[in-house]
Amino acid sequence: MKLAFSTLGVPGLPVPDVLALATAHGYHGVELRAHPEEPVHPGLSPAERAEIASQFKAAGVEVLGLAGYTRVAAPGDDAPVLDEIRQLLQLAHDLGAPFVRVLPGADPDLPPEESDAIAARRLGAAAEDASALGPRILLETHDSHRTGADAIRVLGPVGHRQVGALWDVMHTWLGGEQPADSFAALAPHLGYVQVKDIASADDTSPLPLGAGVLPLTECVDVLCRNGWDGWLCWEYEKRWYEAAAPLPELLDAGRDHLVRLLGEAA
């Protein structure tokens, strides 16, 4: 498997510095947080996009994906949601990224079946844009749809190869789902896996990998036993937890921990 980290862990860091971290610490790729407060976002000009793509190529680092914030199950009109996804897909295409992340974001006051239908309808429509541009749209296990069982209620009806799943191992654990069950649900759709660690269900402040309670060993084991060879991306949520230790000083140990888990699973 290839290893990446998310720029959520280094808020606002310029792209050249992100690439320097990736190369210095042995990561194959980077997940870029696509937000206006970050260096990479849909408002970039064609020249700026070309420059970033060139910098990644020169460094020998891959753009794993763009972590967008579109909430595909949220109530409201479809048009603004689809426009957001199209902008992310175009940016991913321009940067050579194979994946775009979207979130569920359903209204808890709506019946789940209604929210599932909203999300499936929008993802089905956006799948045509994804087919034309190349990147896959990945629905993350998150918020209203935090388990694999939740996600496939949407992905099953969509039934399109350009729409898949992003497995965030914290959210499936918080949802009470075992790693083997998460993988079984998501495997036909799985784009990549986000790993992280936390102290408890009540304290989700980011910790170094292996220092918390998340079942990373079990997650890696089930992936390896089933012959899955995609990406593991460390999503260290420094942006939301200012008191957390700086990610750069943790990158070596995090890489070593994942490599050790992969070796043991093999």
Side-chain angles (χ1 to χ4, degrees):
M1 298 184 206
K2 293 182 179 181
L3 305 181
F5 65 87
S6 168
T7 56
L8 189 64
V10 284
L13 194 68
V15 169
D17 296 334
V18 171
L19 291 171
L21 286 177
T23 54
H25 299 286
Y27 286 79
H28 309 97
V30 174
E31 178 192 72
L32 294 169
R33 178 175 181 249
H35 190 279
E37 67 185 24
E38 297 291 341
V40 178
H41 55 82
L44 294 179
S45 69
E48 289 170 325
R49 297 172 185 220
E51 175 60 24
I52 291 169
S54 175
Q55 290 172 351
F56 269 87
K57 184 176 181 180
V61 176
E62 297 182 51
V63 183
L64 168 57
L66 299 181
Y69 289 88
T70 306
R71 298 184 179 273
V72 296
D77 294 338
D78 288 357
V81 175
L82 293 174
D83 185 57
E84 276 189 38
I85 297 174
R86 289 188 192 105
Q87 290 184 47
L88 286 168
L89 287 168
Q90 184 64 60
L91 179 59
H93 169 271
D94 295 345
L95 298 181
F99 302 115
V100 162
R101 186 278 303 274
V102 298
L103 300 174
D107 185 339
D109 294 329
L110 287 181
E113 298 81 4
E114 185 174 340
S115 295
D116 294 345
I118 291 170
R121 181 179 70 242
R122 290 167 174 169
L123 289 171
E128 299 309 313
D129 293 298
S131 293
L133 289 167
R136 290 182 75 200
I137 305 166
L138 302 184
L139 178 67
E140 183 174 323
T141 54
H142 196 274
D143 56 75
S144 61
H145 291 65
R146 65 182 0 167
T147 67
D150 294 330
I152 62 169
R153 299 200 315 265
V154 172
L155 298 175
V158 174
H160 197 291
R161 61 182 177 80
Q162 287 300 112
V163 176
L166 199 174
W167 180 10
D168 182 321
V169 303
M170 181 183 76
H171 283 282
T172 53
W173 180 80
L174 289 172
E177 194 172 63
Q178 295 299 311
D181 295 327
S182 300
F183 180 79
L186 298 173
H189 313 280
L190 191 55
Y192 64 98
V193 179
Q194 284 180 343
V195 297
K196 59 187 70 172
D197 223 339
I198 57 173
S200 69
D202 297 319
D203 182 3
T204 56
S205 303
L207 293 177
L209 294 179
V213 298
L214 293 185
L216 298 180
T217 299
E218 292 87 342
C219 290
V220 170
D221 185 62
V222 73
L223 291 168
C224 289
R225 281 192 287 107
N226 286 277
W228 191 81
D229 63 353
W231 286 84
L232 298 179
C233 178
W234 186 5
E235 188 189 44
Y236 186 80
E237 297 185 343
K238 174 68 172 174
R239 173 61 183 85
W240 316 126
Y241 298 91
E242 292 185 9
L247 177 62
E249 64 189 38
L250 306 176
L251 285 171
D252 278 342
R255 180 204 63 225
D256 291 346
H257 185 72
L258 292 176
V259 169
R260 182 165 57 253
L261 292 183
L262 289 167
E264 291 170 354

